[in-house]
Amino acid sequence: MTPDARRRALLDRHAEAQSLFGARVHAVRDDQWGADTPCAEWSVRDLVNHLVSEQLWVPSLVRNGCMIEEVGDTFEGDLLGPDPAASWDTAAHSARDAFAAPGALERTVHLSSGETPATAYCAQMVADLVVHAWDMARAIGFDERLPGELVSFAVDEVTPYAGELEKSGLFGARVAPPVGADAQTRLLCLLGRRP
């Protein structure tokens, strides 16, 4: 696969992962925003706010080449306002446009972990969206099945650094998957979920 084809495939995965998460955001009933999620101490609203924040960082880091310190606390606090689904849509669109801009995936971004190729940053975002789509589904009673291609992508992406995610405190300790577990179950267990 050529570098251009790899970048196009990555953008496709990112768009699919955003759509997967977005479908769950749009399925949240008014009485579910305060519901617990598999993410410790996060309600459904907190989880969506987290993903909105992550999407809003993308233009600053990828398009504008900002350092973390330059952005500061711009994307902290409640970013959802009175219409969380619309806030998600706006943030998702801005991230998708930033990654899809000519030359964007050839850049280096400045993350808290250090300088990172934009392709690696985009891949991390895909994996995060996939796992949190499951969290959302579990919290609101939505279909928990995840598309096989996105699960495979997320497994390949997360496996090399899953141990570091646990040390960060943002993910639970990995759980031993049952014998014969499918790829989705293995991914969720790798990231401390109990499917």
Side-chain angles (χ1 to χ4, degrees):
M1 188 181 290
T2 67
D4 279 348
R6 278 195 297 275
R7 285 189 288 269
R8 280 194 302 275
L10 178 57
L11 291 173
D12 288 346
R13 294 293 86 74
H14 181 252
E16 290 163 10
Q18 283 189 327
S19 294
L20 183 72
F21 186 79
R24 284 140 180 83
V25 173
H26 283 274
V28 178
R29 296 189 317 262
D30 289 343
D31 64 342
Q32 291 180 312
W33 288 104
D36 291 336
T37 70
C39 303
E41 300 179 15
W42 275 359
S43 67
V44 168
R45 186 177 179 92
D46 295 331
L47 179 56
V48 174
N49 195 68
H50 167 69
L51 270 292
V52 165
S53 175
E54 286 197 339
Q55 304 309 301
L56 291 174
W57 273 93
V58 176
S60 296
L61 298 177
V62 175
R63 185 184 60 223
N64 302 337
C66 291
M67 305 291 282
I68 298 281
E69 301 77 21
E70 292 176 88
V71 179
D73 62 0
T74 302
F75 304 121
E76 291 182 11
D78 179 21
L79 302 169
L80 302 185
D83 191 344
S87 297
W88 160 257
D89 291 343
T90 299
H93 185 77
S94 70
R96 196 165 47 250
D97 283 354
F99 277 131
L105 290 180
E106 296 164 25
R107 298 180 185 141
T108 297
V109 295
H110 307 283
L111 304 180
S112 56
S113 56
E115 291 197 352
T116 304
T119 51
Y121 177 39
C122 187
Q124 291 168 17
M125 296 282 283
V126 171
D128 200 51
L129 284 159
V130 171
V131 172
H132 285 318
W134 181 84
D135 293 331
M136 283 286 291
R138 172 65 53 104
I140 66 171
F142 200 84
D143 183 358
E144 294 180 12
R145 288 172 298 175
L146 301 171
E149 280 190 356
L150 284 175
V151 168
S152 295
F153 182 97
V155 167
D156 290 346
E157 171 59 27
V158 169
T159 297
Y161 56 81
E164 296 304 311
L165 292 174
E166 180 185 337
K167 289 179 196 171
S168 74
L170 298 175
F171 290 83
R174 71 177 74 180
V175 175
V179 175
D182 62 13
Q184 176 173 317
T185 301
R186 290 194 310 273
L187 170 66
L188 296 170
C189 289
L190 183 64
L191 295 172
R193 271 65 175 176
R194 297 182 182 276

